């Protein structure tokens, strides 16, 4: 049974059972606890937590997932994958254990003709949470499973949560017995290779805190209702139903390996080492394409770093298979062809995906060259010292700085007859991981603090947003918080959070800054400084009670700062125009990667795998979007279905979660995007857009910053005044200023070079005089003096070398000091004859450097350093003399 058929059967089974089919969410959701979506329930988490009411009682989805904790194990085993598809069915306060077990059993063991998977019921085993007698009874009653094929397991195996604060609960897992040729008897407790888990049924009822019930810690609360969350591994079911040995040999993955075979001339199954490389390529190619498809670009942190690591492991594995030409696009094409029946956006967005992988491969190949030079140097140093083990520090440097995976370093070292200090490398990696975990923990946001907002939501419902049409409105305070806790009243001077039943205030979202303004009643006033939405559907006004005492249930007039709102709306509409202009100039690979819409200014981030936008392109974009302003196009906002929005070609932002009904902001055939922000009525209201800059903010991501409206006009007015002043000062026309200024800069550089030359000549001219001042100390000619002040390290070094040369072949030591404010620079130089007597420059410095509060070092013939106590120069010279005599 082909994978796409498995997906179809799963979806149809649950749709027939009254479930709403929900599309897969993006791999990137606005969840501070997750780099990537790693389970089918993630997009439904607000429903499980009760943050917002579920729009349907039952749902089913095929969710794309990425788990990155075992990247290093991928390929070495046949069980670890980074990308996979999780088929799931969900109940939000509807059916519970009995329904979940019945739905799963009917699909797993149902005959093929009726739409089931046709697994032999006699080869099915299940596990349950250690004290879940109810689940055991249901498995016996519904499925007829005998006692011996139901096993109890502890929280580590049969309690599920996301690894972070959030929903969870006991679970029951379904296993398939692959047969005695795959391992020993005894069920999942005995051998999880023979007994393969295919489906996990989570009876979601708890809310976990920082410590997990998996480890015996009690939940911090109970969810508002009992729910069902299940996850069936599509790839695992596929390789069982397709009769292959593992996921890498299934219909959607094996073609990637076939492409690697074609490029390398080697065959999968011929060598364990090569098989590992083939599997790495197959797994990472799918993960990389799907991650890029959802808007991530390679970088050195977060999601981008994970993606970079995946792509570079593909290139490295191909190299180890003997492939030297670029490979990433070829593998991406196979993934596109195999996965597009389920994910058609891989076809429409392939230009951008291929641009990203090609740019990353090109960058890595150059890095590989640079890293190889560092590796060769480390090998040479190790062999010169007579060692047989490459230091772990150098292996870590190659990994951390140059992106060399450790197995590549191991392979290259083996070719040179060396081993690698893996213990030291592992220790350094562990230190790095610990730092990363500590950083992640410090930034982790749990769900405990949201309980007070959820309580307001449960009691009063969502906040009605009126801000698209109203700038002021009457409302009622339904929630009042001080220091995060609900209070009945708050006196003057209190910092408060206010929830209204209806409001015109826009909460910060989608790059648009929040509204500010006032909440007024007959007896108090609240200044609103910020508006946030900590729980979906709720708008929380944050500010200060400026007079009177604010109380719950009080009616208020909510009025926003109209000038600020108008300025932000101009910026937000301008961002849409910049997006359309950049995309028109660069193609579909230029996708929005972030934005800021603030009063009078905007910032627009976008992917650009091909590199910088040229000044000419940027000027053309600026001219084009200002022409759209002049056309004074209507800016129309309307709600429609997601399918209709797609048909209209509306732009959708990566990582955003959209419902069945979406809001489209339309500027005719120039710009059409899904957006929940506020905008002007016609483009002419913006007035002017002035692009200030364009530059890189990370690998493959660029940023445009611009001013809008009066802010843009003021900026251009100041620039015009500056140009006029320069033109008058230089007696030139404005258009001639660049050439005139370039000429001035060149003349200045020439003058500086001449000055430097004369200064160096003047310094060196004193060498003869200094050499004549040499004193004889026990047969050693010593020049230890304070040179002219303000000499830098290079000048002092050149002077000391020149003086040393004038001492001839006799033993000689030159020590020169130069002060500059509170700093001291010094250089020591020795002749060959002095070094023969044991006088090395580097070993003389510790004798006198403390006198000037400094330190230094260097080679036997020349050493230098610095200090912070100019008053100690005389004492330092005396210490040097004593050291020479000694």
């Amino acid at each position: 049974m082909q994978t796409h058929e498995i997906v179809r059967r799963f979806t149809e089974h649950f749709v027939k059972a009254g479930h709403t089919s929900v599309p897969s969410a993006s791999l990137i959701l606005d969840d501070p606890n997750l780099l990537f979506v790693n389970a089918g329930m993630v997009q439904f988490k607000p429903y499980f937590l009760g943050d917002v009411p579920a729009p349907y009682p039952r749902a089913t989805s095929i969710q794309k997932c990425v788990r990155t904790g075992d990247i290093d194990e991928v390929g070495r085993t046949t069980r670890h994958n980074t990308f996979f598809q999780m088929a799931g069915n969900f109940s939000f306060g509807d059916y519970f254990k009995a329904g979940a077990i019945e739905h799963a059993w009917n699909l797993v063991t149902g005959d093929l003709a009726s739409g089931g998977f046709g697994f032999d019921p006699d080869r099915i085993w299940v596990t349950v949470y250690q004290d879940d007698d109810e689940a055991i009874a249901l498995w016996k009653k519904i499925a007829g499973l005998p006692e011996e094929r139901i096993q109890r397991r502890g929280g580590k195996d049969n309690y599920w949560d996301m690894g972070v604060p959030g929903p969870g609960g006991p679970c029951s897992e379904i296993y398939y017995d692959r047969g005695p040729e795959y391992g020993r008897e005894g069920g999942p407790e005995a051998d999880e290779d023979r007994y393969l888990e295919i489906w996990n049924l989570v009876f979601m009822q708890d809310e976990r805190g920082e410590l997990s019930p998996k480890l015996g810690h009690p939940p911090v609360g109970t969810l508002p209702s009992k729910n069902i969350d299940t996850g069936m591994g599509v790839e695992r079911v596929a390789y069982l139903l397709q009769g292959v040995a593992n996921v890498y040999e299934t219909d959607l993955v094996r073609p990637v390996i076939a492409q690697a075979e074609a490029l390398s001339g080697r065959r999968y199954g011929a060598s364990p080492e090569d098989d590992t490389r083939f599997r790495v390529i197959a797994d990472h190619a799918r993960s990389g394409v799907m991650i890029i498809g959802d808007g991530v670009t390679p970088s050195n942190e977060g999601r981008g770093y994970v993606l970079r690591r995946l792509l570079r492991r593909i290139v490295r594995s191909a190299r180890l298979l003997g492939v030297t030409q670029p490979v990433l696009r070829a593998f991406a094409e196979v993934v596109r062809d195999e996965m597009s029946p389920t994910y058609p956006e891989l076809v429409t967005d392939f230009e951008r995906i291929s641009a990203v992988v090609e740019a990353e491969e090109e960058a890595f190949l150059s890095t590989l060259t640079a890293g190889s030079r560092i590796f060769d140097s480390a090998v040479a140093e190790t062999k010169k010292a007579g060692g047989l083990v490459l230091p772990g520090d150098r292996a870590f440097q190659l990994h951390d700085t140059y992106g060399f995976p450790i197995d590549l370093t191991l392979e290259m070292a083996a070719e040179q007859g060396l081993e690698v200090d893996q213990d030291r490398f592992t220790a350094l990696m562990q230190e790095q991981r610990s730092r990363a975990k500590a950083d992640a923990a410090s930034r982790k946001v749990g769900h405990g603090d949201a309980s007070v907002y959820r309580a307001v939501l449960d009691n009063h419902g969502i906040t009605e947003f009126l801000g698209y049409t109203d700038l002021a409105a009457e409302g009622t305070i339904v929630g009042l918080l001080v220091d995060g806790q609900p209070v009945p009243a708050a006196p003057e001077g209190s910092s408060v959070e206010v929830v209204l039943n209806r409001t015109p205030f826009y909460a910060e979202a989608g790059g648009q800054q929040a509204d500010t303004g006032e909440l007024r009643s007959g007896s108090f006033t609240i200044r609103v400084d910020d508006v946030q939405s900590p729980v979906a559907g709720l708008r929380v006004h944050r500010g200060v009670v400026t007079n009177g005492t604010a109380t719950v249930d009080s009616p208020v007039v909510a009025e926003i700062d109209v000038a600020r709102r108008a300025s932000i709306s101009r910026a937000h509409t301008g961002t849409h125009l910049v997006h359309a202009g950049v995309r028109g100039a660069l193609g579909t690979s230029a996708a929005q990667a972030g934005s800021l819409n603030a009063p009078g200014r905007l910032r627009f981030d976008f992917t650009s795998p091909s590199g910088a936008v040229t000044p000419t392109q940027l000027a053309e974009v600026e001219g084009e979007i200002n022409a759209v302003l002049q056309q004074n196009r209507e800016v129309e906002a309307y709600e429609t279905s997601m399918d209709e929005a797609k048909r209209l070609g509306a732009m959708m932002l990566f990582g955003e979660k959209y419902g069945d009904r979406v809001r489209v902001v339309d500027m005719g055939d120039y710009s059409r995007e899904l957006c929940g922000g506020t905008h002007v009525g016609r483009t002419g209201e913006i007035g002017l857009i002035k692009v200030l800059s364009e530059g890189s903010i990370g690998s493959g991501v660029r940023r445009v910053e611009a001013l809008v409206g009066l802010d843009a006009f003021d900026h251009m007015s100041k620039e015009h005044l500056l140009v006029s002043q320069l033109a008058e000062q230089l007696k030139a026309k404005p258009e001639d200023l660049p050439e005139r200024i370039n000429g001035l800069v060149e003349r200045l550089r020439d003058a500086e070079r001449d000055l430097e030359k004369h200064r160096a000549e003047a310094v060196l001219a004193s060498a003869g005089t200094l050499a004549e001042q040499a004193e004889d100390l026990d047969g050693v000619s010593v020049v230890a003096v304070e040179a002219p002040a303000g000499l830098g390290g290079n000048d002092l070094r050149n002077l000391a070398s020149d003086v040393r040369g004038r001492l001839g072949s006799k033993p000689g030591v030159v020590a020169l000091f130069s002060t500059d404010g509170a700093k001291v620079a010094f250089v020591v130089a020795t002749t060959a004859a002095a070094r023969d007597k044991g006088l090395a420059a580097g070993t003389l410095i510790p004798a006198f450097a403390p006198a000037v509060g400094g330190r230094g070092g260097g080679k036997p013939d020349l050493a230098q350093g610095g200090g912070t106590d100019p008053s100690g120069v005389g004492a330092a010279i005396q210490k040097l003399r004593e050291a020479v005599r000694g």
Side-chain angles (χ1 to χ4, degrees):
M1 186 182 297
Q2 299 297 292
T3 301
H4 296 304
E5 174 65 10
I6 294 171
V7 167
R8 187 191 68 78
R9 285 175 179 247
F10 185 96
T11 302
E12 286 192 358
H13 174 78
F14 284 102
V15 168
K16 289 178 181 177
H19 294 67
T20 298
S21 179
V22 180
S24 171
S26 166
L27 285 167
I28 302 100
L29 289 183
D30 185 17
D31 189 322
N33 295 313
L34 296 174
L35 276 179
F36 300 103
V37 168
N38 62 359
M41 59 73 60
V42 173
Q43 68 167 315
F44 303 113
K45 192 162 65 170
Y47 309 150
F48 289 128
L49 285 168
D51 290 346
V52 293
Y56 25 68
R58 305 178 177 194
T60 185
S61 70
I62 309 295
Q63 175 65 48
K64 48 190 175 182
C65 301
V66 167
R67 293 181 184 171
T68 59
D70 297 313
I71 287 180
D72 292 324
E73 295 301 316
V74 171
R76 296 179 182 175
T77 74
T78 58
R79 294 190 299 111
H80 290 91
N81 297 110
T82 51
F83 174 83
F84 59 96
Q85 299 175 91
M86 186 67 77
N89 60 286
F90 308 91
S91 164
F92 310 108
D94 189 19
Y95 61 82
F96 198 49
K97 291 183 184 180
I101 290 172
E102 183 174 5
H103 288 312
W105 182 257
N106 291 342
L107 178 59
V108 168
T109 61
D111 62 76
L112 297 178
S114 62
F117 290 145
F119 284 104
D120 183 352
D122 294 332
R123 300 178 73 170
I124 299 296
W125 289 63
V126 299
T127 61
V128 299
Y129 188 54
Q130 53 196 7
D131 56 2
D132 195 347
D133 296 332
E134 181 187 6
I136 291 177
L138 288 170
W139 278 113
K140 290 179 179 179
K141 176 182 177 182
I142 295 170
L145 282 177
E147 184 89 31
E148 60 268 20
R149 282 197 277 133
I150 304 174
Q151 295 184 329
R152 298 177 186 263
R153 303 185 84 171
K156 187 177 180 181
D157 295 298
N158 274 67
Y159 190 95
W160 188 92
D161 59 44
M162 295 174 60
V164 294
C171 60
S172 181
E173 297 173 327
I174 303 174
Y175 290 79
Y176 179 74
D177 181 4
R178 301 166 71 196
E181 63 271 29
Y182 290 97
R184 58 197 177 100
E185 295 185 0
E189 275 283 270
D191 191 332
E192 288 201 5
D193 281 329
R194 171 175 171 175
Y195 301 90
L196 187 73
E197 179 196 345
I198 59 174
W199 205 339
N200 187 10
L201 313 179
V202 181
F203 310 131
M204 194 175 292
Q205 59 195 36
D206 303 325
E207 183 173 356
R208 66 152 276 186
E210 289 294 334
L211 301 176
S212 175
K214 291 171 70 72
L215 303 177
H217 303 284
V220 296
T222 301
L223 294 177
S225 59
K226 292 183 177 181
N227 310 295
I228 288 297
D229 156 34
T230 82
M232 185 195 82
V234 172
E235 284 78 8
R236 287 194 178 186
V237 171
Y239 80 71
L240 290 174
L241 293 181
Q242 291 173 20
V244 295
N246 55 65
V247 66
Y248 296 99
E249 298 176 19
T250 57
D251 59 318
L252 299 188
V253 185
R254 186 62 175 81
V256 183
I257 293 178
Q259 177 68 278
E261 289 177 314
L263 291 172
S264 66
R266 303 189 190 184
R267 291 291 169 262
Y268 182 67
S271 154
E273 292 81 7
D274 282 355
D275 284 356
T276 296
R277 295 157 189 163
F278 281 122
R279 289 193 289 263
V280 166
I281 290 170
D283 174 87
H284 290 5
R286 290 215 311 166
S287 301
V289 168
M290 301 304 291
I291 291 171
I292 296 169
D294 278 351
V296 180
T297 55
S299 68
N300 287 327
E301 60 182 23
R303 299 181 180 105
Y305 178 73
V306 172
L307 173 60
R308 169 161 286 167
R309 190 174 175 207
L310 292 171
L311 297 180
R312 292 188 171 191
R313 278 171 60 90
I314 296 172
V315 176
R316 182 262 309 168
S317 297
R319 281 294 180 100
L320 295 178
L321 288 172
V323 184
T324 57
Q325 72 265 35
V327 297
L328 289 183
R329 181 184 174 94
F331 294 139
E333 288 174 345
V334 177
V335 173
R336 174 201 61 196
D337 295 343
E338 298 301 327
M339 299 296 291
S340 59
T342 300
Y343 307 103
E345 63 271 18
L346 296 181
V347 175
T348 56
D349 202 30
F350 191 72
E351 178 188 344
R352 183 183 62 84
I353 294 171
S354 61
V356 170
V357 299
E358 287 173 334
E360 179 63 17
E361 183 162 22
E362 181 180 352
F364 180 50
L365 290 176
S366 62
T367 294
L368 200 59
T369 301
S372 295
R373 288 196 293 269
I374 301 299
F375 173 82
D376 292 341
S377 173
V379 168
E381 291 174 9
T382 301
K383 290 184 174 180
K384 184 177 180 180
L388 296 175
V389 179
L390 193 73
D393 301 70
R394 299 304 294 272
F396 180 76
Q397 178 193 18
L398 284 165
H399 168 85
D400 196 48
T401 305
Y402 296 96
F404 269 47
I406 183 60
D407 46 356
L408 177 58
T409 302
L410 290 169
E411 181 118 2
M412 294 170 67
E415 293 171 356
Q416 297 291 333
L418 299 176
E419 296 181 353
V420 177
D421 184 355
Q422 294 189 67
D423 291 340
R424 175 61 178 162
F425 172 84
T426 301
L428 291 170
M429 285 293 294
Q430 186 56 48
E431 289 177 13
Q432 186 185 65
R433 290 193 185 103
S434 297
R435 288 193 297 269
K437 286 181 179 179
D439 179 59
S442 70
R443 292 183 284 107
K444 191 175 291 182
V445 179
H447 298 278
D449 293 340
S451 60
V452 290
Y453 303 117
R454 288 204 300 272
V456 176
L457 186 70
D458 291 341
N459 293 330
H460 302 282
I462 65 172
T463 305
E464 181 185 0
F465 177 59
L466 309 171
Y468 292 137
T469 56
D470 298 338
L471 303 177
E474 295 180 352
T476 301
I477 296 179
V478 297
L480 185 63
L481 286 77
V482 174
D483 295 330
Q485 297 301 315
V487 295
E492 182 175 331
S494 301
S495 295
V496 294
E497 293 181 293
V498 182
V499 181
L500 303 179
N501 63 334
R502 58 205 303 267
T503 181
F505 280 79
Y506 183 85
E508 182 178 357
Q512 178 173 332
Q513 290 187 344
D515 284 329
T516 61
E518 281 189 341
L519 307 179
R520 296 191 304 273
S521 81
S523 59
F524 63 85
T525 303
I526 300 172
R527 185 188 72 236
V528 177
D529 301 319
D530 185 28
V531 187
Q532 296 292 325
S533 181
V535 173
L538 211 65
R539 294 174 187 262
V540 178
H541 308 70
R542 295 173 175 169
V544 177
V545 181
T546 55
N547 68 70
T549 298
T551 56
V552 174
D553 296 330
S554 294
V556 296
V557 173
E559 186 172 355
I560 69 172
D561 182 332
V562 176
R564 174 184 168 86
R565 161 69 79 82
S567 186
I568 292 175
S569 296
R570 287 192 290 268
H572 199 158
T573 310
T575 300
H576 284 234
L577 294 171
V578 171
H579 187 185
V582 169
R583 195 173 178 87
L586 302 183
T588 57
S589 62
Q592 182 168 335
S595 67
L596 171 69
N597 308 300
R601 62 189 176 92
L602 67 87
R603 188 180 71 210
F604 175 69
D605 301 339
F606 61 97
T607 56
S608 180
S610 57
V613 181
T614 67
T616 300
Q617 287 175 315
L618 203 60
E620 290 174 350
V621 169
E622 184 181 65
E624 181 178 286
I625 59 181
N626 277 290
V628 174
L629 303 191
Q630 193 175 33
Q631 294 164 8
N632 199 26
R633 296 185 178 212
E634 181 182 4
V635 180
E636 184 183 5
Y638 54 88
E639 282 196 1
T640 187
S641 67
M642 174 60 79
D643 290 340
E644 177 63 10
K646 291 179 178 178
R647 189 191 69 78
L648 291 171
M651 283 293 301
M652 303 175 192
L653 303 186
F654 296 113
E656 291 289 329
K657 186 176 186 297
Y658 300 107
D660 294 332
R661 301 289 296 176
V662 293
R663 185 171 184 263
V664 179
V665 175
D666 196 327
M667 295 175 230
D669 58 358
Y670 191 76
S671 171
R672 185 175 290 119
E673 290 190 32
L674 303 191
C675 182
T678 64
H679 299 273
V680 299
R682 304 191 75 90
T683 59
E685 295 175 31
I686 297 174
L688 178 68
I689 296 177
K690 176 58 186 173
V691 175
L692 298 179
S693 63
E694 187 278 342
S696 172
I697 60 169
S699 177
V701 181
R702 313 289 299 180
R703 171 171 291 171
V704 169
E705 297 196 59
L707 297 175
V708 298
L710 285 177
D711 292 81
F713 176 80
D714 289 343
H715 173 81
M716 295 183 70
S717 179
K718 291 174 183 176
E719 278 198 339
H720 176 72
L721 178 61
L722 178 62
V723 170
S724 298
Q725 291 173 337
L726 285 173
E728 182 179 353
Q729 191 74 24
L730 298 176
K731 308 300 181 187
K733 296 178 180 179
E735 60 266 26
D736 295 334
L737 283 178
E739 183 179 351
R740 181 67 63 88
I741 292 173
N742 282 337
L744 286 175
V745 171
E746 282 302 316
R747 287 200 296 273
L748 180 60
R749 287 173 178 164
D750 290 343
E752 288 176 341
R753 282 192 289 266
D754 289 341
L755 182 61
E756 178 65 23
K757 179 180 178 182
H758 291 308
R759 191 172 61 81
E761 290 173 351
V763 168
L764 293 177
S766 64
T769 302
L770 293 175
E772 292 173 359
Q773 298 176 13
E775 57 180 321
D776 185 281
L777 296 178
D778 298 335
V780 179
S781 295
V782 177
V783 178
V785 298
E786 185 173 351
L791 293 184
N794 287 335
D795 289 337
L796 206 59
R797 197 162 48 244
N798 291 337
L799 181 57
S801 297
D802 199 347
V803 174
R804 177 181 60 186
R806 294 172 186 268
L807 297 181
S809 59
K810 55 189 175 183
V813 175
V814 179
L816 303 181
F817 297 79
S818 178
T819 62
D820 185 2
K823 296 181 180 180
V824 182
F826 53 79
V827 172
V828 179
T830 60
T831 64
R835 294 193 293 276
D836 291 341
K837 292 173 67 69
L839 294 170
T843 57
L844 286 172
I845 284 180
F848 68 82
V852 292
R855 58 182 181 178
K859 298 179 180 179
D861 62 326
L862 188 70
Q864 66 186 67
T868 57
D869 185 6
S871 66
V873 171
I877 291 174
Q878 185 57 37
K879 291 288 186 182
L880 174 75
R881 291 192 179 106
E882 294 173 2
V884 172
R885 285 196 180 99

